[in-house]
Structure formats: structure tokens, C-alpha cells
Amino acid sequence: MRYIWLIPLLPGLGAAINGLVGIRVFSRRAAGALASGIMLAALALGAVAFWQLLGLPAESRAYDVNVAEWIPRIPLATHDGIGNFEVTWGFRLDPLAGMMLLIVTGVGALIHIYATAYMAVA
């Protein structure tokens, strides 16, 4: 579950590779296989993370991964003393987010596979 930050990064990486080098370096079939393979890898990571989430006790089925601090700690005066204001950048996986993760990556992988097969025929 520590690697849920890779799930949105993988399709972006695949799009960058196909967009920058694409069919100039390798064939259309290889570009389609790369795009489909990366979407299937994102789906597999999502399925593993969701499976691990279901293994947690019901009252603690939420997992947070903080990637970086977006705004570092700033001391702020509040009505009951000095507090800290910070904004972190990260990902949270809970049961609803896990289901949506599986749906989005699953449909995305199916679209990539269908489009690759359809364009190979045309």
C-alpha cells in the first residue's frame, strides 16, 4: 500500500513516453502494448492495494501516504495559543477510493486494450 502514489504516475509516464518518442522510435504495435501494459500495471497495483486495505480491521480501513510537504510548518496564533499550519501532499486510500480506483483503472485498461486492437485492424 506504500506505493499507491505510483498508480496515477504510471499512466502519466506511459503517456509521456508514447508522446515524446512514440512511433518515431518503436512501432504502433509496441506503442499500444506499452500503453496497455502500463494501464494493466496500474490496475494490478490498485488491486493489490485494495486487497491489502480489506485485510485491515474495519475501524482502521484508511491508509495515508504523504509524499511531500507542499507548505512547510508555519506557526500560527489561534484562539487557544500557538498552533502549526502545514499542508502536505499525499494520497489517501479508503474503501470508497479503492472501489473508484479499481473502476477507473479497470475501465481505462479495457479502453486501451480495445483501442489498440481496433486500430490494428483499421
Side-chain angles (χ1 to χ4, degrees):
M1 257 191 299
R2 297 185 338 210
Y3 301 109
I4 59 175
W5 58 272
L6 278 174
I7 297 169
L9 187 69
L10 282 176
L13 182 66
I17 291 171
N18 271 338
L20 294 174
V21 291
I23 59 174
R24 289 185 299 264
V25 175
F26 39 87
S27 67
R28 295 180 107 184
R29 175 177 239 158
L34 175 74
S36 299
I38 285 188
M39 282 305 297
L40 286 172
L43 175 62
L45 274 175
V48 167
F50 189 67
W51 185 260
Q52 290 175 350
L53 182 73
L54 291 179
L56 294 175
E59 62 275 355
S60 64
R61 281 195 182 146
Y63 189 76
D64 295 320
V65 174
N66 290 327
V67 177
E69 284 188 4
W70 186 39
I71 298 176
R73 245 170 240 246
I74 301 170
L76 286 178
T78 61
H79 67 281
D80 57 349
I82 299 291
N84 287 324
F85 174 75
E86 66 178 322
V87 179
T88 57
W89 182 66
F91 298 97
R92 180 180 182 91
L93 184 66
D94 56 11
L96 179 62
M99 276 307 295
M100 291 305 297
L101 178 70
L102 291 178
I103 291 170
V104 169
T105 55
V107 170
L110 289 175
I111 288 171
H112 276 77
I113 292 168
Y114 176 78
T116 302
Y118 181 77
M119 294 305 284
V121 174

